[in-house]
Amino acid sequence: MSDPTAPSRYVADHSLRLATIVRLRWLAVAGQLAAVLVVRFGLGFPLPLVLCLGLIGLSALLNIVLRVRFPATQRFRSTAAFWLLAYDVLQLGALLYLTGGLDNPFAVLLLVPVIVSATTLPPLPTTLLGALVVATATLLIIVHEPLPWYPADPLDLPLIYDVGVWFALVSACAFTGIYAFRVAEEARQLARALNATEMVLAREQHLSALDGLAAAAAHELGTPLATIALVAKELEREIPPDSPHGEDIALLKSQVQRCRDILARLTSLSDETDHPYARQPISHLIEDVVEPYRAGDIEIKVAKTDGGGKAEPVGHRNPGIIQGLTNLVENATDFARNRVEVGIEWNDRDVTVVVADDGPGFGPGVLDRVGEPYVTTRGDSDRWRNDDEAGGLGLGLFIAKTLLERSGADLSMANREPADTGAVVRVTWPRDRFDAEPPRSKTEGGGTTWPAEIEAL
C-alpha cells in the first residue's frame, strides 16, 4: 500500500535542528578555547594567540547570529546544514594550520562534522563533507605552522608520521560515516514502521468501535422502523389512491424497506458466504452497488474500459468491498449536482474503479485529511447548508477507505482538473489479488493490509 506522506516524512527525517548545531558548536568553542588557553598559559608554548581567539570568536558570533535569526526549533534542509557543517570543518582546519597541522592530536576532531552529517543528512551531503575533510587533511600535510612546543627543543615529526595520520583520518572518516549512517537509517526505518503501525492500529480500533455501534444501532432501530412501517401501511389503506399524498406514502415505505436492508447488511457484514453469486464480474458488482441510487434525481453512469483485450475480472463477492464502494457512491450522489460517473478499468496488472461527481469537490483544508474519522464537509455543501439536521459525522469515507484497504485496495482521492468541479476517488486492486479465491475463514475479507514500512521489517 502506498503512502502519500512518505516524501515529506523523508525530508523531516533528513534534516538538522538548529538547536543541535548550536549546542555542538558551543561545545566546540568551549573546548577550543580551553585548549588554546591551557597550551599558551598553562604549558607556556608559543602560538598565534590572537588569530586562534579570532577564529574561536567567529564561531561564537555565528552561533549568536543563528539563534537571533532563527527559532530554536528551526530545521535546516540538507543544503543549509551541509554549509554549516562545512564551516566547522574549515574553521577547525584553520586552527590546526596555526597549531601544527596533522601533528596536532586534535586533528581527529575533523571527523565530528562527518559523523553528525551521517546521522542526520542524506548520503550526498555526507559524502561531500567527507571529501572536504580529506582535502583539508591533505592540505595540512603540505602547509601548516609548527606544532606549539618547548622553544629550546622544537619537535620536528617526520613526514611519514603525517602520512600515517592522514591515512588514519581518511579510514576513520569512511568507516565511521558509513557505520553511523547505517545505524541512524535503521533507527529511522524502525521509527517510521512504529508510526505506521500506530496509525493502522488506530484505524482498526475506530472501525472495531464502529462495528459494535452498528450492531447496537441495528438492534435499537428495529422497533421504531417496524412502527413506521406499520403506520405507513395504515395510512396507505386510509388515503385514497388518487390522493396527492399517495406518492409520499409510497416513498416512505420504500425508504423504510431500504433502512431495513441496510441494517441487515450491517449485521451480516463479516459473513456473506451463502450468497447465490459468490463470485461475479466486477461490472455486475458495480451494478449491484449503484442500483439503489438510480431512482434519485442524480444521473449515474457506469462505463467500463477493456484494458488491452484482457478478460473482465471476476472476484469474490466480498461484503467489505460492497459496503466500501456503496459508501463512495452514496457520498458522490450526496454532493453531485447532476451526475455521478463510475468507471471500471482493468489490465493484466490492476483492477481500478473510479467514482467521480460534478459537485464542489474536496475543500483545500480537508483534502489532506480526507478518509480520517470525523472529517466532513457535508455542512458546507449547498445541498446541506440550510438543513441543520443533515450534517454527517465524517465516517462514510473513513469506513469505505478502511474496508477497501482491508481487501488489498489502494485509494487515492483528489479533485477534478480546474476546468471542471467535483471529487474523484480511485480504488485500485492488484489483478491477482482481486481474482484470487477468498481465504476459507470466518473473518473473510477482514485481514489487515500493513504499510510498506512494516512489511520491510
Side-chain angles (χ1 to χ4, degrees):
M1 183 172 59
S2 63
D3 187 358
T5 65
S8 60
R9 194 167 54 229
Y10 181 86
V11 170
D13 288 346
H14 292 75
S15 57
L16 189 57
R17 292 177 67 239
L18 171 65
T20 301
I21 298 178
V22 170
R23 289 169 184 169
L24 290 175
R25 188 172 289 126
W26 279 128
L27 183 62
V29 167
Q32 291 170 2
L33 182 62
V36 168
L37 294 179
V38 168
V39 169
R40 178 63 183 88
F41 298 104
L43 300 176
F45 294 163
L47 54 74
L49 184 63
V50 175
L51 292 178
C52 291
L53 293 179
L55 289 172
I56 297 173
L58 185 61
S59 292
L61 179 61
L62 178 59
N63 259 6
I64 295 173
V65 171
L66 289 175
R67 289 304 300 266
V68 173
R69 177 65 178 82
F70 300 102
T73 57
Q74 174 75 29
R75 282 188 175 273
F76 292 109
R77 299 289 178 87
S78 58
T79 302
F82 165 76
W83 287 112
L84 290 173
L85 293 174
Y87 162 81
D88 292 331
V89 172
L90 295 176
Q91 188 262 358
L92 181 58
L95 275 178
L96 291 174
Y97 164 78
L98 296 173
T99 56
L102 295 188
D103 294 342
N104 192 322
F106 289 103
V108 70
L109 294 178
L110 286 170
L111 299 175
V112 173
V114 178
I115 297 175
V116 173
S117 177
T119 56
T120 56
L121 300 181
L124 180 59
T126 304
T127 303
L128 295 177
L129 205 61
L132 179 62
V133 169
V134 172
T136 302
T138 304
L139 187 63
L140 289 175
I141 294 179
I142 304 172
V143 181
H144 60 81
E145 295 295 325
L147 179 70
W149 200 252
Y150 297 104
D153 185 18
L155 181 63
D156 187 15
L157 296 173
L159 178 62
I160 191 171
Y161 174 82
D162 290 342
V163 173
V165 172
W166 183 88
F167 273 108
L169 276 176
V170 173
S171 301
C173 182
F175 175 77
T176 58
I178 294 174
Y179 179 78
F181 176 79
R182 288 308 310 158
V183 171
E185 185 63 21
E186 289 178 4
R188 283 190 288 264
Q189 290 176 355
L190 180 59
R192 288 196 293 266
L194 292 176
N195 182 54
T197 304
E198 290 176 355
M199 293 177 62
V200 170
L201 292 178
R203 294 173 65 87
E204 294 298 322
Q205 289 173 356
H206 274 293
L207 196 64
S208 297
L210 291 174
D211 288 342
L213 292 175
H219 174 72
E220 295 293 335
L221 291 175
T223 300
L225 280 177
T227 303
I228 296 173
L230 179 61
V231 172
K233 287 182 179 179
E234 294 297 329
L235 290 175
E236 188 178 29
R237 292 174 184 173
E238 295 182 4
I239 293 178
D242 57 348
S243 172
H245 300 292
E247 293 184 1
D248 296 335
I249 298 300
L251 178 61
L252 180 61
K253 289 182 62 179
S254 67
Q255 293 304 306
V256 169
Q257 184 58 43
R258 182 182 172 190
C259 288
R260 285 178 167 177
D261 294 340
I262 292 174
L263 292 178
R265 188 167 64 245
L266 287 176
T267 56
S268 61
L269 186 59
S270 61
D271 189 9
E272 201 178 87
T273 58
D274 58 345
H275 195 277
Y277 301 103
R279 292 179 63 81
Q280 60 183 165
I282 188 171
S283 59
H284 294 183
L285 185 147
I286 296 300
E287 287 294 338
D288 290 345
V289 168
V290 304
E291 183 60 30
Y293 303 96
R294 291 190 184 277
D297 298 332
I298 304 299
E299 177 189 0
I300 299 181
K301 180 181 179 181
V302 178
K304 59 182 181 179
T305 302
D306 182 359
K310 301 297 180 181
E312 182 175 351
V314 178
H316 171 62
R317 186 180 172 84
N318 187 324
I321 293 178
I322 296 174
Q323 184 63 43
L325 293 176
T326 298
N327 284 10
L328 294 181
V329 173
E330 180 178 8
N331 196 72
T333 56
D334 286 344
F335 284 90
R337 295 187 176 93
N338 301 301
R339 185 174 182 177
V340 171
E341 299 176 357
V342 181
I344 310 170
E345 307 168 3
W346 67 83
N347 52 39
D348 57 349
R349 298 184 306 276
D350 302 315
V351 178
T352 302
V353 175
V354 182
V355 180
D357 62 69
D358 60 352
F362 298 112
V366 175
L367 188 57
D368 292 338
R369 299 184 297 121
V370 68
E372 296 301 317
Y374 310 111
V375 175
T376 180
T377 58
R378 190 178 297 273
D380 298 332
S381 176
D382 295 337
R383 180 173 298 181
W384 312 105
R385 185 173 289 120
N386 298 322
D387 191 344
D388 294 335
E389 298 181 355
L393 295 177
L395 294 174
L397 283 178
F398 164 70
I399 294 174
K401 189 172 188 292
T402 304
L403 290 175
L404 292 172
E405 286 180 348
R406 276 183 170 185
S407 69
D410 185 14
L411 273 73
S412 63
M413 304 181 187
N415 289 325
R416 290 179 180 268
E417 295 299 326
D420 300 317
T421 60
V424 180
V425 180
R426 297 182 64 88
V427 185
T428 303
W429 292 270
R431 178 68 183 258
D432 54 354
R433 182 74 177 264
F434 188 87
D435 289 339
E437 289 287 343
R440 301 300 181 183
S441 66
K442 292 184 179 180
T443 57
E444 188 167 2
T448 300
T449 302
W450 295 98
E453 292 90 344
I454 305 174
E455 297 290 351
L457 295 179

